[in-house]
Amino acid sequence: MPSEPLTADHVLEFPGGYTRTTGPVIGRFLTELRDGRLMGVRTAEGRTLVPALEYDPATGEPVTGEWVEVGPAGTVTGSAWVHRPLDSHPLDRPFAWALIRLDGADTALVHAVDAGDSRALPPGTRVRPVWRAARTGHITDISHFAPEVTKIVSPIRTAYRLTASPSLTRFLEGVRDGVFLGCRCGTCEKVYVPYRLSCPGCGNPISEEVPLPDTGTVTTFAINNLPDPRAPEVPFVSAYILLDNADIPMIALVGGIPAHEVRQGMRVRAVWVPEQERTLSMSNIKWFAPTGEPDVEL
Ligand SMILES: [Zn+2]
Protein backbone atom coordinates (compact mmCIF):
# COMPACT_ATOMS: atom_id res chain seq x y z
CA MET A 1 0.00 0.00 0.00
CA PRO A 2 1.56 3.36 -1.09
CA SER A 3 2.20 5.69 1.82
CA GLU A 4 1.76 9.49 1.74
CA PRO A 5 5.07 11.44 1.64
CA LEU A 6 6.00 12.80 5.05
CA THR A 7 5.77 16.61 5.26
CA ALA A 8 6.24 19.23 7.99
CA ASP A 9 5.32 22.94 7.74
CA HIS A 10 7.73 25.60 9.02
CA VAL A 11 7.86 29.42 9.09
CA LEU A 12 11.18 31.26 9.21
CA GLU A 13 10.49 34.68 10.65
CA PHE A 14 12.27 37.31 12.76
CA PRO A 15 9.24 38.98 14.33
CA GLY A 16 11.31 41.83 15.79
CA GLY A 17 13.28 42.27 12.58
CA TYR A 18 16.73 41.14 11.55
CA THR A 19 19.47 43.68 12.27
CA ARG A 20 22.19 43.98 9.64
CA THR A 21 24.85 46.54 8.92
CA THR A 22 24.57 48.67 5.81
CA GLY A 23 28.20 49.38 4.97
CA PRO A 24 29.31 52.92 4.04
CA VAL A 25 27.68 53.18 0.60
CA ILE A 26 24.16 51.91 1.30
CA GLY A 27 24.39 53.62 4.73
CA ARG A 28 25.05 56.97 3.04
CA PHE A 29 22.15 56.40 0.62
CA LEU A 30 19.74 55.65 3.50
CA THR A 31 21.04 58.54 5.65
CA GLU A 32 20.42 60.95 2.78
CA LEU A 33 16.96 59.39 2.37
CA ARG A 34 16.23 60.13 6.04
CA ASP A 35 17.11 63.77 5.30
CA GLY A 36 14.67 63.76 2.37
CA ARG A 37 17.34 63.65 -0.34
CA LEU A 38 17.73 61.11 -3.15
CA MET A 39 21.41 60.55 -3.86
CA GLY A 40 23.19 58.31 -6.34
CA VAL A 41 26.79 57.14 -6.37
CA ARG A 42 29.07 57.40 -9.41
CA THR A 43 30.82 54.42 -10.94
CA ALA A 44 34.35 54.63 -12.34
CA GLU A 45 32.73 54.72 -15.80
CA GLY A 46 30.69 57.79 -14.81
CA ARG A 47 27.28 56.13 -14.42
CA THR A 48 25.05 57.08 -11.49
CA LEU A 49 23.61 54.16 -9.49
CA VAL A 50 20.28 54.69 -7.68
CA PRO A 51 19.79 52.94 -5.33
CA ALA A 52 23.48 53.16 -4.46
CA LEU A 53 25.55 49.96 -4.55
CA GLU A 54 29.08 49.19 -3.38
CA TYR A 55 30.09 47.62 -6.68
CA ASP A 56 29.28 48.53 -10.28
CA PRO A 57 26.96 45.69 -11.39
CA ALA A 58 28.26 46.06 -14.97
CA THR A 59 31.99 45.69 -14.21
CA GLY A 60 32.28 44.48 -10.61
CA GLU A 61 34.58 47.44 -9.84
CA PRO A 62 34.10 49.33 -6.53
CA VAL A 63 32.12 52.56 -7.02
CA THR A 64 33.80 55.97 -6.57
CA GLY A 65 33.19 58.18 -3.54
CA GLU A 66 31.40 60.73 -5.69
CA TRP A 67 27.74 61.35 -4.81
CA VAL A 68 25.18 63.27 -6.87
CA GLU A 69 21.65 64.34 -6.01
CA VAL A 70 19.01 62.85 -8.35
CA GLY A 71 15.26 63.20 -8.82
CA PRO A 72 13.08 63.72 -6.97
CA ALA A 73 10.97 63.05 -10.09
CA GLY A 74 11.57 60.06 -12.32
CA THR A 75 10.24 58.04 -15.22
CA VAL A 76 8.58 54.63 -15.00
CA THR A 77 10.46 52.10 -17.14
CA GLY A 78 8.30 49.07 -16.28
CA SER A 79 5.54 48.08 -13.87
CA ALA A 80 3.31 45.31 -12.54
CA TRP A 81 -0.20 46.09 -11.34
CA VAL A 82 -1.26 44.71 -7.93
CA HIS A 83 -5.04 44.23 -7.93
CA ARG A 84 -5.29 42.82 -4.39
CA PRO A 85 -2.64 44.25 -2.02
CA LEU A 86 -1.29 41.98 0.73
CA ASP A 87 -1.05 43.04 4.38
CA SER A 88 2.69 43.54 3.98
CA HIS A 89 2.33 45.83 0.95
CA PRO A 90 2.95 49.57 1.33
CA LEU A 91 -0.55 50.56 0.12
CA ASP A 92 -3.93 49.14 1.11
CA ARG A 93 -5.48 49.87 -2.31
CA PRO A 94 -4.59 48.61 -5.82
CA PHE A 95 -1.21 49.99 -6.91
CA ALA A 96 1.73 49.28 -9.20
CA TRP A 97 5.19 47.99 -8.41
CA ALA A 98 7.35 50.01 -10.76
CA LEU A 99 10.92 50.39 -11.94
CA ILE A 100 11.57 54.12 -11.66
CA ARG A 101 14.58 55.81 -13.20
CA LEU A 102 15.03 59.00 -11.22
CA ASP A 103 16.13 62.09 -13.16
CA GLY A 104 19.93 62.06 -13.32
CA ALA A 105 20.22 58.33 -12.53
CA ASP A 106 21.33 55.59 -14.92
CA THR A 107 19.60 52.73 -13.10
CA ALA A 108 16.05 52.22 -11.87
CA LEU A 109 14.82 51.59 -8.34
CA VAL A 110 11.76 49.54 -7.44
CA HIS A 111 8.97 51.27 -5.53
CA ALA A 112 5.20 51.39 -5.23
CA VAL A 113 3.22 53.86 -7.34
CA ASP A 114 -0.29 54.96 -6.37
CA ALA A 115 -1.88 55.45 -9.79
CA GLY A 116 -5.47 55.71 -8.52
CA ASP A 117 -8.05 53.68 -10.42
CA SER A 118 -6.07 53.57 -13.65
CA ARG A 119 -5.39 49.79 -13.33
CA ALA A 120 -2.21 50.20 -15.36
CA LEU A 121 0.95 52.28 -15.25
CA PRO A 122 2.45 52.70 -18.72
CA PRO A 123 6.22 53.07 -19.22
CA GLY A 124 7.13 56.72 -19.58
CA THR A 125 4.79 57.88 -16.80
CA ARG A 126 6.40 60.67 -14.77
CA VAL A 127 6.24 60.12 -11.01
CA ARG A 128 7.33 61.90 -7.81
CA PRO A 129 8.00 60.56 -4.31
CA VAL A 130 5.48 61.00 -1.49
CA TRP A 131 7.60 61.24 1.66
CA ARG A 132 6.60 60.09 5.12
CA ALA A 133 6.51 62.79 7.78
CA ALA A 134 8.69 60.73 10.14
CA ARG A 135 11.72 59.18 8.46
CA THR A 136 14.11 56.57 9.84
CA GLY A 137 16.62 55.92 7.07
CA HIS A 138 14.76 53.16 5.24
CA ILE A 139 13.49 52.84 1.66
CA THR A 140 9.98 53.14 3.15
CA ASP A 141 10.83 56.76 4.11
CA ILE A 142 9.26 57.23 0.70
CA SER A 143 5.69 56.07 1.32
CA HIS A 144 5.18 55.58 -2.40
CA PHE A 145 5.46 57.45 -5.68
CA ALA A 146 2.58 59.29 -7.38
CA PRO A 147 2.15 60.33 -11.02
CA GLU A 148 2.84 63.97 -11.83
CA VAL A 149 -0.16 66.20 -12.42
CA THR A 150 -0.83 66.19 -16.15
CA LYS A 151 -4.44 67.34 -16.39
CA ILE A 152 -7.03 69.37 -14.54
CA VAL A 153 -10.75 69.93 -15.07
CA SER A 154 -11.62 73.60 -15.45
CA PRO A 155 -15.21 74.83 -15.74
CA ILE A 156 -16.00 76.62 -18.98
CA ARG A 157 -19.02 78.75 -19.77
CA THR A 158 -19.38 81.05 -22.75
CA ALA A 159 -22.51 83.08 -23.28
CA TYR A 160 -22.97 84.34 -26.83
CA ARG A 161 -25.70 85.40 -29.21
CA LEU A 162 -25.90 84.00 -32.70
CA THR A 163 -27.50 86.30 -35.23
CA ALA A 164 -28.94 84.58 -38.28
CA SER A 165 -28.23 86.08 -41.70
CA PRO A 166 -31.24 87.26 -43.78
CA SER A 167 -31.04 84.08 -45.91
CA LEU A 168 -30.89 81.75 -42.89
CA THR A 169 -33.78 83.66 -41.31
CA ARG A 170 -35.81 83.07 -44.46
CA PHE A 171 -34.89 79.36 -44.46
CA LEU A 172 -35.88 78.96 -40.78
CA GLU A 173 -39.19 80.73 -41.44
CA GLY A 174 -39.82 78.02 -44.02
CA VAL A 175 -38.84 75.25 -41.58
CA ARG A 176 -41.26 76.74 -39.02
CA ASP A 177 -43.98 76.43 -41.67
CA GLY A 178 -42.96 72.87 -42.59
CA VAL A 179 -41.24 73.71 -45.89
CA PHE A 180 -37.59 73.43 -46.93
CA LEU A 181 -36.76 76.62 -48.85
CA GLY A 182 -34.07 76.31 -51.47
CA CYS A 183 -32.97 78.71 -54.15
CA ARG A 184 -32.10 78.48 -57.84
CA CYS A 185 -29.07 80.23 -59.35
CA GLY A 186 -30.21 82.06 -62.49
CA THR A 187 -26.81 81.52 -64.12
CA CYS A 188 -25.87 77.87 -63.47
CA GLU A 189 -29.45 76.65 -62.79
CA LYS A 190 -28.34 74.74 -59.65
CA VAL A 191 -30.80 74.45 -56.77
CA TYR A 192 -29.27 74.92 -53.33
CA VAL A 193 -30.68 74.17 -49.91
CA PRO A 194 -30.63 75.78 -47.35
CA TYR A 195 -31.72 79.01 -49.02
CA ARG A 196 -28.90 81.48 -49.71
CA LEU A 197 -28.41 84.80 -51.49
CA SER A 198 -25.39 84.02 -53.64
CA CYS A 199 -24.35 80.95 -55.64
CA PRO A 200 -21.49 78.99 -54.04
CA GLY A 201 -20.69 77.58 -57.51
CA CYS A 202 -20.52 80.66 -59.74
CA GLY A 203 -20.75 83.47 -57.18
CA ASN A 204 -23.75 85.18 -58.77
CA PRO A 205 -26.53 86.75 -56.65
CA ILE A 206 -29.63 84.58 -56.27
CA SER A 207 -33.16 85.86 -56.13
CA GLU A 208 -35.37 82.86 -57.01
CA GLU A 209 -36.80 81.03 -54.00
CA VAL A 210 -37.66 77.33 -54.55
CA PRO A 211 -39.82 75.42 -52.05
CA LEU A 212 -38.62 71.81 -51.92
CA PRO A 213 -40.48 68.66 -50.87
CA ASP A 214 -39.57 67.06 -47.53
CA THR A 215 -38.57 63.81 -49.22
CA GLY A 216 -35.09 62.84 -50.35
CA THR A 217 -32.39 60.19 -50.67
CA VAL A 218 -29.55 59.27 -48.31
CA THR A 219 -26.28 59.87 -50.18
CA THR A 220 -23.75 59.17 -47.39
CA PHE A 221 -24.12 58.53 -43.68
CA ALA A 222 -22.21 57.92 -40.43
CA ILE A 223 -23.15 55.69 -37.50
CA ASN A 224 -22.44 57.58 -34.26
CA ASN A 225 -21.75 55.75 -31.02
CA LEU A 226 -21.37 58.78 -28.74
CA PRO A 227 -24.56 60.22 -27.24
CA ASP A 228 -25.86 63.50 -28.66
CA PRO A 229 -28.70 65.51 -27.09
CA ARG A 230 -30.42 65.78 -30.49
CA ALA A 231 -30.37 62.06 -31.23
CA PRO A 232 -33.09 59.58 -30.24
CA GLU A 233 -30.70 56.87 -29.01
CA VAL A 234 -27.18 55.46 -29.42
CA PRO A 235 -26.08 54.38 -31.96
CA PHE A 236 -27.72 56.96 -34.18
CA VAL A 237 -27.18 57.90 -37.81
CA SER A 238 -26.37 61.30 -39.27
CA ALA A 239 -26.64 61.48 -43.04
CA TYR A 240 -26.33 63.67 -46.08
CA ILE A 241 -29.80 63.78 -47.60
CA LEU A 242 -30.37 64.99 -51.12
CA LEU A 243 -33.85 66.50 -51.07
CA ASP A 244 -35.84 65.84 -54.23
CA ASN A 245 -35.22 68.61 -56.83
CA ALA A 246 -32.11 69.88 -54.96
CA ASP A 247 -28.57 69.70 -56.36
CA ILE A 248 -26.69 69.51 -53.04
CA PRO A 249 -27.44 67.41 -49.95
CA MET A 250 -28.04 68.71 -46.44
CA ILE A 251 -27.07 67.03 -43.19
CA ALA A 252 -29.72 65.58 -40.86
CA LEU A 253 -30.41 62.72 -38.45
CA VAL A 254 -31.97 59.47 -39.66
CA GLY A 255 -34.42 57.74 -37.30
CA GLY A 256 -37.23 55.22 -37.27
CA ILE A 257 -34.87 52.45 -38.41
CA PRO A 258 -32.04 50.49 -36.71
CA ALA A 259 -28.70 52.20 -37.41
CA HIS A 260 -27.21 49.16 -39.17
CA GLU A 261 -30.12 49.09 -41.67
CA VAL A 262 -29.49 52.60 -43.01
CA ARG A 263 -27.99 52.51 -46.52
CA GLN A 264 -26.96 54.76 -49.37
CA GLY A 265 -29.81 55.33 -51.81
CA MET A 266 -32.47 54.86 -49.11
CA ARG A 267 -35.59 57.02 -49.62
CA VAL A 268 -36.53 59.16 -46.58
CA ARG A 269 -39.04 61.78 -45.47
CA ALA A 270 -38.74 64.43 -42.76
CA VAL A 271 -40.54 63.70 -39.48
CA TRP A 272 -41.79 67.08 -38.22
CA VAL A 273 -42.60 67.97 -34.63
CA PRO A 274 -46.29 68.95 -34.11
CA GLU A 275 -47.11 72.37 -35.62
CA GLN A 276 -47.86 74.03 -32.26
CA GLU A 277 -44.37 73.06 -30.96
CA ARG A 278 -42.43 74.52 -33.89
CA THR A 279 -39.92 77.33 -33.49
CA LEU A 280 -37.53 79.15 -35.82
CA SER A 281 -35.01 76.31 -35.62
CA MET A 282 -33.92 73.02 -37.18
CA SER A 283 -35.25 71.15 -34.13
CA ASN A 284 -38.64 71.29 -35.92
CA ILE A 285 -37.36 68.23 -37.80
CA LYS A 286 -37.04 65.23 -35.47
CA TRP A 287 -35.16 63.25 -38.10
CA PHE A 288 -35.67 61.69 -41.51
CA ALA A 289 -37.38 58.28 -41.58
CA PRO A 290 -37.59 55.68 -44.38
CA THR A 291 -40.52 56.12 -46.79
CA GLY A 292 -40.55 52.43 -47.73
CA GLU A 293 -40.03 53.26 -51.43
CA PRO A 294 -37.41 51.19 -53.32
CA ASP A 295 -33.80 52.39 -52.97
CA VAL A 296 -32.51 54.79 -55.60
CA GLU A 297 -29.42 54.19 -57.76
CA LEU A 298 -27.02 57.02 -56.89
ZN1 LIG B 1 -24.56 79.53 -60.00
Side-chain angles (χ1 to χ4, degrees):
M1 182 173 115
S3 58
E4 289 291 312
L6 295 175
T7 62
D9 295 328
H10 297 277
V11 174
L12 177 63
E13 187 178 19
F14 296 85
Y18 173 80
T19 304
R20 49 165 288 191
T21 55
T22 58
V25 175
I26 294 168
R28 168 82 185 263
F29 175 75
L30 294 174
T31 304
E32 297 283 359
L33 208 56
R34 189 179 60 190
D35 291 346
R37 272 191 303 273
L38 287 155
M39 301 288 285
V41 69
R42 279 267 161 82
T43 66
E45 293 184 331
R47 300 195 331 133
T48 302
L49 306 183
V50 181
L53 296 170
E54 285 147 0
Y55 296 93
D56 183 344
T59 64
E61 294 294 312
V63 294
T64 68
E66 192 189 343
W67 288 81
V68 284
E69 187 159 2
V70 297
T75 303
V76 170
T77 61
S79 70
W81 192 261
V82 179
H83 292 273
R84 281 185 298 278
L86 306 175
D87 288 344
S88 56
H89 278 164
L91 292 162
D92 61 4
R93 49 196 179 274
F95 70 98
W97 284 120
L99 280 164
I100 300 161
R101 195 165 51 74
L102 296 174
D103 296 345
D106 292 297
T107 56
L109 61 78
V110 174
H111 218 300
V113 177
D114 183 358
D117 298 328
S118 52
R119 300 194 156 270
L121 186 67
T125 303
R126 297 281 298 161
V127 292
R128 277 175 184 265
V130 177
W131 295 91
R132 287 188 199 282
R135 297 192 288 267
T136 60
H138 197 275
I139 192 66
T140 55
D141 285 354
I142 297 171
S143 160
H144 57 274
F145 281 75
E148 288 186 343
V149 175
T150 56
K151 60 184 169 191
I152 57 167
V153 176
S154 36
I156 291 173
R157 180 177 182 272
T158 308
Y160 63 98
R161 171 174 292 167
L162 188 64
T163 303
S165 64
S167 56
L168 180 60
T169 302
R170 184 73 196 110
F171 178 73
L172 292 176
E173 284 169 355
V175 165
R176 178 196 55 200
D177 300 335
V179 180
F180 292 116
L181 286 181
C183 57
R184 180 179 284 108
C185 171
T187 312
C188 68
E189 297 282 301
K190 288 251 192 310
V191 174
Y192 297 102
V193 62
Y195 178 75
R196 64 195 74 193
L197 294 172
S198 63
C199 175
C202 65
N204 285 307
I206 293 181
S207 52
E208 189 190 344
E209 199 173 286
V210 183
L212 294 166
D214 65 354
T215 51
T217 304
V218 172
T219 61
T220 58
F221 64 94
I223 296 177
N224 306 273
N225 290 291
L226 295 177
D228 184 298
R230 296 162 297 180
E233 62 212 10
V234 172
F236 67 92
V237 173
S238 51
Y240 275 109
I241 292 162
L242 185 64
L243 291 180
D244 295 336
N245 306 334
D247 285 302
I248 57 164
M250 61 179 220
I251 197 161
L253 296 178
V254 174
I257 178 174
H260 66 273
E261 289 179 21
V262 175
R263 54 207 182 266
Q264 289 178 293
M266 192 176 79
R267 295 286 297 155
V268 289
R269 179 190 298 278
V271 177
W272 299 85
V273 301
E275 222 163 303
Q276 62 275 16
E277 289 174 26
R278 289 189 201 158
T279 57
L280 283 165
S281 86
M282 289 303 282
S283 57
N284 296 341
I285 303 128
K286 277 175 78 179
W287 55 71
F288 280 76
T291 62
E293 297 165 271
D295 288 359
V296 167
E297 192 76 35
L298 289 170

